Structures are given as C-alpha cells and as structure tokens.
Amino acid sequence: MAGRATPWLIGLTLVLMAAGLVGGLWLAPPDYQMGDGFRIIYIHVPSALLSMVVFAVMAVASAVGLIWRIRMAHAVTAAAAPIGAAFTFIALVTGALWGKPMWGTYWVWDARLTSELILLFLYFGYLALVHAFPDRRTGDQAGAILAIVGAVDLPIIHFSVQWWTTLHQGATLKLSGTPMPVSMLWPLLVMMLAFLCYFAWLLMVRLRAEILRREYRARWVEKI
Amino acid sequence: MDSWHEFWTMGGYARFVWPAYGVAFVVLLGSGWAAHRGLRRALARVASRVRGGRR
Amino acid sequence: MFIELLRRECLLAWRRPGEALTPLVFFLVTSMLFPLGLTPDPDLLRPLAPGLIWVIAFLAGMLGVQGLFRADYDDGSLEQLLLSPRPLTLAILAKALGHWLVTGLPIVCGAALVAEMLFVPPHVLAALVAGLALGTPILTLLGTLVSALTVGLRQAAVLAPVLILPLSVPVLIFGAHSALLAMHGQSTARAFVVLAGMLILALSLLPAAAALGLRIGHEA
C-alpha cells in the first residue's frame, strides 16, 4: 500500500529540495530591488502555497468522507491537518523575516498576511475540535463539517481582507511586479514541487499511523 | 553567487535569510519527526497487541 | 412547527430573563470600559467607536450562542427534536432566529444607546445599527453551527470562540467598515450588499450544516 510509494517520494523530495536550494541560494542572481533578501521566496512561497493546497485537500477529503461515508477519507483529513498547520506557520515566520528588511517591520496587516494568519487559526480550530472528542469517528465527522465550512469561508475571508486593506493603504506593499527571469523562476518551481512531495511523503506516514490507530482491532493489521 | 563569502553574507541580508531558512527547516524536520514517531508508536501498539494475543 | 419552536424559545427566555439578558448586559458593561480605559475625549473616541461597538457586539453575541443547544441537550428535548420526523434544518433555523430575537436584537438596539454615549454622529449611527442588524444574525448562525458541533463536549465554552472567530472575520470587516465609510461620508452601499449576500449564504447553508453536526453528535 502506501509503503510502496514512500521511498520514491523520499528520493524525489530530497533531490528536488537539493536542486531547488542550490538553484535558489547559489545560482539565481540577486534581485535588482531586494538584493539577496529575495531568496526567502524559495521557502516562503512554496509553504504558503502548500498551506492552501493542504486545506483544499482536507476539504475535499472531508466532503468525500461525509458523502460516501468512507472512513479512509477522514483519516486523510486528520493526517493532513498538522502538516498544513506547519506549512502555514513557516509561511508566516518567513514572511515576517522577509518583511523586516523589505518593509521595515516584521508584521503588516497586509491582505495576504492576515489571510494566512486566519488560516493558521482555522487549522488550530480544526485540530482542537477533532481532539476534543473522546470518540474518533465523531471527531472526524465534526471536523469534516468544519473543514468544509472553512473552505467555503476562506475565499470570502480573503476577499474581505483584501477589501479591508485597500481601504487602509494603497498598493504600497506590492512585491516587485516585474516578471521573473528564468534563472530565478525555476528554483521556485522546483521548491514548490519539493514541498509538495514532502507533503505527500508526510501524508503517507501520518496516514499509515492514523489507519493503524483506527483499525487497531482489525485482523489485517496483524500481518504488518 | 561568486564566492562562499558572498553566499554566507547574502548581500547584507544574512540576518534575515538564514534564520528564515533555519526556522523553515527546523519546522519541516520537526513535523517529519513527529509523523514518524506517530507511526512508530502505532506500529509498536499493534505489535504489542499481536504478541499479547498469541500468548 | 417553526412558529411553535420560535414561541418556545421566546417563552423560555421570558421565564428566565437573567440568562437571555446576559449578553446585552455584557455588551453595555464592556462598552463602558472603553472611555474609562482609553480616554473620555469625544474627538478621540468618535473615530474608534464603530469598531469598538462591533467588536463588543461580536463578543457579546458569542457569549450567548455557544450554549444554544446545551439546555436542550441536558434535558433531552434535543433528542426529541432529532427523532421527530419534521425537518431538523427548519427546527434549527427556528432556534437560531429565536436566539437572535432574544439576544441579538437587544444588542442592536443597545448599540444605538452606546453609540450615543461614545459620541457617534447620527448619520453613522444609522449605518452602524443597520450593519449590526445584518451582521449579528450571521454570527448567530455561525455560532449555531459551532454549538451544534460542540454540544456534548466539556470544553465547548473554550472551543466555541476559537472556532467561531476566524470564520466570522468577513462579517466584522464589512460590518465595522460600513460604519467607518459612513463616518468618512462615503457610500456604504457596497458593504451592505456584501453583508446581505453573506447573510443569505449563511441562512441557506449553515442550518443544514448544523443539522448534520447535531446528527453526528447524536449517533455517537
């Protein structure tokens, strides 16, 4: 089962991560505006992307779990949540460390930052809710509803935060809007893929643990 | 990048670039470690049950 | 059945006025703290007042709604509701509406009084009250969902705000800023349209989601 794919994922993650890091930290030229500070992009953007992808995965898995009553799907949601929270956290911290030299402060109430912060709270809420139930199955289903409602709400949150920040400040915080040269872009794409593979790897590991925990009493488990 | 010196100083942004990468990899490795620990524990629990059942 | 449940909700609140009025009292007491804690100067309070009122109204609304199903769960009438052949979604809508009438509406009215005390000019007051009238029902509906999800849990009181607040950010943003727009003499139409749209979305989706949540909790 999942065990078969894992070595491939590990290898792919390591190779892509190494290539992306070399490309991003060494080969790519410094940005003409931000100098070498822009190199934070190679971890910031992939983790921000993943933080959203993971929530989408959770919402879809939750919907599948609720509609077709597949317990496996709930295990996917439960396994993905902590990883998504970690990515969101990384995106926020690296964003703060990027903001300090570029904007002069660690934090601004910028639309994307604020949405990301709310996303982190949604992850925390999901984890808190699921773990509050003594019974796993009830927690799964309650969490699934929350994940779906959260996924419906996220675009609204993003839209509202954007509206709110445009009221307060102009587009002064825009990143340099020029299109990226290829030498800067490819490490970013590679790093995105690397993060995606890392997520898939960890998801497999967590999923196996979740299933073993859930199917504790099942017969087939004994064969492993 | 032309030299190791340039690499480590990051054009004056070392103070921000390296902690960012540091935090990112600590969190990434940490979540990986947590995931594997969870799997090990689940496996150990199943193993102890199987052994207990046979006895 | 909808009317019956609504009447029951109001009757229960009437019999135990202390419980129903707590959010309103919380709202009034907390809003008194801001002039004391910040400044009594009207010129400084005026620009902050709409935002402050919105935030307090939010917290007060959450205070009441998190225990929406608690009493019914304890005395078993929730069980009856779940077992009855009538649509649960409608019953939940009735409960939410009843709860809003008993706690939300007084807060909307109380906001007018507090706004006066915080020196909000009259034309902003209209936007503030209208925004609260549109926004607090959304908050009640979100709270209904969360209290349905957490009904049997001991930690519900701590958990509910953690779950409700991130979800309700858009309501706060559009609500509070419609009042600020009015204060700056700008058009509030767009903010109100968005608020109304969110209310319609919440009305159509959240009662059904809450019904699902209650059934899940019940099956366990």
Side-chain angles (χ1 to χ4, degrees):
Chain A
M1 46 170 233
R4 195 115 2 115
T6 312
W8 286 98
L9 282 173
I10 296 173
L12 209 56
T13 306
L14 294 179
V15 169
L16 286 172
M17 194 79 86
L21 283 177
V22 170
L25 288 175
W26 189 272
L27 298 177
D31 186 76
Y32 77 102
Q33 262 185 335
M34 296 190 271
D36 286 322
F38 95 101
R39 291 177 199 281
I40 295 177
I41 199 175
Y42 296 116
I43 39 174
H44 176 70
V45 170
S47 46
L49 174 78
L50 259 290
S51 67
M52 282 173 251
V53 169
V54 174
F55 208 90
V57 167
M58 282 169 59
V60 171
S62 297
V64 169
L66 281 181
I67 295 168
W68 288 290
R69 304 202 159 253
I70 301 173
R71 264 181 291 161
M72 187 66 177
H74 289 307
V76 170
T77 315
I83 316 175
F87 280 129
T88 316
F89 180 75
I90 294 175
L92 280 170
V93 172
T94 55
L97 283 167
W98 196 3
K100 184 66 183 171
M102 299 308 149
W103 303 331
T105 66
Y106 286 108
W107 183 260
V108 283
W109 291 97
D110 162 68
R112 275 174 294 186
L113 269 75
T114 313
S115 310
E116 198 71 13
L117 185 66
I118 296 169
L119 182 64
L120 184 66
F121 289 147
L122 281 179
Y123 275 118
F124 285 164
Y126 172 84
L127 289 169
L129 180 67
V130 170
H131 289 287
F133 284 89
D135 174 56
R136 259 229 112 83
R137 205 172 300 173
T138 325
D140 275 347
Q141 293 180 340
I145 295 181
L146 187 71
I148 293 170
V149 172
V152 172
D153 208 22
L154 263 179
I156 306 178
I157 291 174
H158 190 76
F159 166 66
S160 68
V161 173
Q162 226 156 25
W163 184 76
W164 165 67
T165 43
T166 45
L167 276 186
H168 281 258
Q169 54 205 222
T172 46
L173 301 177
K174 275 266 170 70
L175 302 174
S176 53
T178 47
M180 271 192 179
V182 180
S183 58
M184 279 186 187
L185 188 61
W186 74 259
L188 184 61
L189 297 177
V190 169
M191 281 303 269
M192 283 180 182
L193 274 178
F195 272 54
L196 205 61
C197 288
Y198 188 62
F199 165 62
W201 168 15
L202 287 196
L203 185 66
M204 288 299 159
V205 173
R206 278 193 179 275
L207 193 56
R208 285 169 79 187
E210 283 288 333
I211 293 169
L212 284 178
R213 248 176 260 146
R214 276 149 214 253
E215 311 286 313
Y216 180 56
R217 294 181 194 294
R219 282 262 118 188
W220 64 265
V221 172
E222 294 179 8
K223 294 189 187 112
I224 301 169
Chain B
M1 291 292 151
D2 296 320
S3 70
W4 282 107
H5 176 73
E6 245 180 83
F7 179 69
W8 291 120
T9 50
M10 277 290 153
Y13 289 113
R15 224 150 54 78
F16 304 105
V17 174
W18 293 119
Y21 275 82
V23 168
F25 281 92
V26 165
V27 174
L28 284 181
L29 291 176
S31 66
W33 176 76
H36 280 96
R37 194 192 52 172
L39 180 59
R40 265 204 311 279
R41 285 203 177 158
L43 281 171
R45 231 172 67 127
V46 169
S48 75
R49 181 182 71 100
V50 170
R51 250 177 284 133
R54 278 187 194 145
R55 217 177 282 146
Chain C
M1 184 194 65
F2 186 82
I3 305 293
E4 277 166 39
L5 268 169
L6 196 59
R7 262 185 41 205
R8 175 171 172 270
E9 244 353 70
C10 297
L11 200 64
L12 276 175
W14 185 253
R15 294 268 162 78
R16 268 183 294 173
E19 219 164 283
L21 286 178
T22 309
L24 178 65
V25 174
F26 174 86
F27 178 75
L28 295 175
V29 170
T30 316
S31 53
M32 181 190 75
L33 296 178
F34 285 100
L36 296 176
L38 294 171
T39 166
D41 184 351
D43 288 332
L44 292 176
L45 274 179
R46 197 174 293 120
L48 294 176
L52 290 178
I53 290 171
W54 261 93
V55 171
I56 313 164
F58 242 62
L59 295 176
M62 219 167 48
L63 196 72
V65 78
Q66 64 194 15
L68 187 59
F69 296 106
R70 186 86 227 176
D72 285 354
Y73 177 78
D74 288 340
D75 69 10
S77 46
L78 188 64
E79 194 101 348
Q80 285 188 355
L81 214 58
L82 281 162
L83 292 175
S84 93
R86 283 129 172 193
L88 184 60
T89 308
L90 212 60
I92 287 175
L93 199 60
K95 272 196 79 75
L97 180 62
H99 184 267
W100 182 77
L101 285 176
V102 171
T103 62
L105 201 57
I107 288 178
V108 174
C109 301
L113 176 72
V114 171
E116 211 43 58
M117 289 163 73
L118 295 177
F119 316 106
V120 173
H123 68 281
V124 181
L125 191 110
L128 187 70
V129 170
L132 280 170
L134 281 172
T136 48
I138 308 178
L139 188 68
T140 304
L141 285 164
L142 275 170
T144 307
L145 170 69
V146 168
S147 70
L149 288 178
T150 57
V151 68
L153 295 174
R154 270 180 300 113
Q155 311 94 307
V158 195
L159 202 52
V162 176
L163 299 181
I164 300 175
L165 283 182
L167 290 175
S168 54
V169 162
V171 181
L172 180 67
I173 289 178
F174 280 101
H177 284 267
S178 64
L180 280 181
L181 283 177
M183 190 171 276
H184 297 153
Q186 283 165 306
S187 163
T188 53
R190 204 178 140 208
F192 280 133
V193 168
V194 175
L195 270 180
M198 289 196 287
L199 179 58
I200 291 168
L201 189 71
L203 271 174
S204 52
L205 293 182
L206 291 176
L212 194 60
L214 276 182
R215 288 212 190 283
I216 286 167
H218 176 70
E219 274 170 22

